[in-house]
Amino acid sequence: MLKKQDQGAGTPHVTVVIPCYNRADTVAEAVETVLSQDYPSFDVIAVDDNSTDATLDVLSRMDDPRLRVVTNPGPRGPCSTRNHGAALSNSPWIAFQDSDDIWLPGKLMRQMAEVSGTDAVAVYCGMVVKDDATASSPVLRRYPGADITHVSGDIMPSLAFKSFISTQTVIIRRDVFEAVGGFDETFQALVDWELMLRVAQQGNVAFVDDDLVIQRLSGNSITRTPRKRVMAQEMVLAKHADMLAGYKGALAFHHRRLAGGHRIGRQFAQASKHAMAAWRTSGSPRFLAEAAYAALRARFSPGAGKGESS
């Protein structure tokens, strides 16, 4: 665990990193909702990930001395893009925004006030998910949900089971972000959860209990690609198995979740394997029955194991 950082007097500077790829229709609004924040000390680094539409042209026309527009020179993808932007910053705190989402007024000010004088390694806020960002649009989901019991301080007892901190809601101490290695660029989904599993082990995480971010549920969002989510869940489990084993029921929970994901994708052999692992770690006969069912499907279902989860 990292030592407490001395914030010192004055207003800590924040760098907001915005990865951008083919968002010409939404990126200006996303950036403007950051630039309009009333926090007195921040800058914005928009990192274009080699867009093929007019995203870079839109960004180039935005005239604000706090905005820096760069192109991702490294491997493609949102994790690499965010890491590149963060590497260009010397600020003590790094925040993230997505190029199709909305920050509501006061977000930065309230989050930075929450960590002032504390030992927090990060701070996040509530977020609502909508089909669009209009006030009249119904809320589809809210994060964190009412089922999350550890929303601040040591959040690992909840985070070990479920992802509830989205990237555009979080501000992280830069020394912590660097110490844990930033975003894992091998992941194509669940990148926010995997990062926070590492960050939250470094110390307390603060929370502003207000919905200060609106996430648009875009049609091409990774969150709508079940196959990528199942693959990422496998990677999280493999990478963090020892840590997750320290939280009662966590391994069984994730193995059963993976069993369900593989079953939906007609990957019955994989489903049986994970259901068996859930049984071994929990002793529940229900998981053993699920493993047997999936094993039978794998043996007798034509084409089983060849299906996709997407």
Side-chain angles (χ1 to χ4, degrees), residues 119-287:
D119 63 353
V121 298
V123 56
Y124 71 108
C125 64
M127 179 184 79
V128 293
V129 181
K130 296 185 172 188
D131 279 327
D132 60 62
T134 60
S136 60
S137 179
V139 173
L140 304 177
R141 286 190 295 276
R142 196 260 179 182
Y143 293 94
D147 60 324
I148 304 301
T149 56
H150 297 77
V151 295
S152 63
D154 178 11
I155 65 172
M156 285 303 301
S158 290
L159 197 64
F161 286 85
K162 185 176 292 187
S163 173
F164 54 90
I165 302 178
S166 193
T167 308
Q168 61 275 55
T169 70
V170 72
I171 308 174
I172 303 172
R173 270 175 38 187
R174 184 169 64 88
D175 64 324
V176 174
F177 183 80
E178 292 176 348
V180 302
F183 288 93
D184 188 331
E185 297 178 12
T186 64
F187 278 73
Q188 296 186 44
L190 303 179
V191 299
D192 40 15
W193 182 39
E194 197 283 319
L195 172 67
M196 289 307 299
L197 282 172
R198 289 177 280 130
V199 168
Q201 292 182 72
Q202 303 303 312
N204 290 324
V205 176
F207 174 53
V208 175
D209 191 8
D210 200 358
D211 301 326
L212 301 176
V213 173
I214 299 174
Q215 181 189 60
R216 287 188 176 100
L217 195 60
S218 303
N220 62 349
S221 172
I222 286 176
T223 60
R224 289 191 172 183
T225 312
R227 181 172 178 268
K228 288 184 178 180
R229 290 181 64 86
V230 170
M231 291 172 60
Q233 181 84 25
E234 293 265 16
M235 293 170 67
V236 168
L237 190 57
K239 183 174 181 178
H240 298 288
D242 291 343
M243 179 274 292
L244 293 172
Y247 297 91
K248 184 178 180 180
L251 286 178
F253 176 85
H254 291 300
H255 278 299
R256 190 187 185 200
R257 190 176 182 184
L258 278 166
H262 284 299
R263 190 167 58 248
I264 291 171
R266 295 183 56 79
Q267 301 285 340
F268 295 118
Q270 287 292 92
S272 180
K273 181 189 77 171
H274 282 290
M276 282 294 293
W279 170 67
R280 291 191 187 100
T281 57
S282 70
S284 171
R286 180 177 182 178
F287 299 156

Side-chain angles (χ1 to χ4, degrees), residues 2 20-22 37 46 73 83 103 115 118 157 161 174 191 198 230 241 252-253 258 264 267 277-278 280 294 297 301:
L2 297 182
C20 311
Y21 178 71
N22 286 357
Q37 294 290 309
N83 285 341
W103 278 14
V115 296
T118 75
F161 286 85
R174 184 169 64 88
V191 299
R198 289 177 280 130
V230 170
F253 176 85
L258 278 166
I264 291 171
Q267 301 285 340
R280 291 191 187 100
R297 292 295 303 271
S301 296

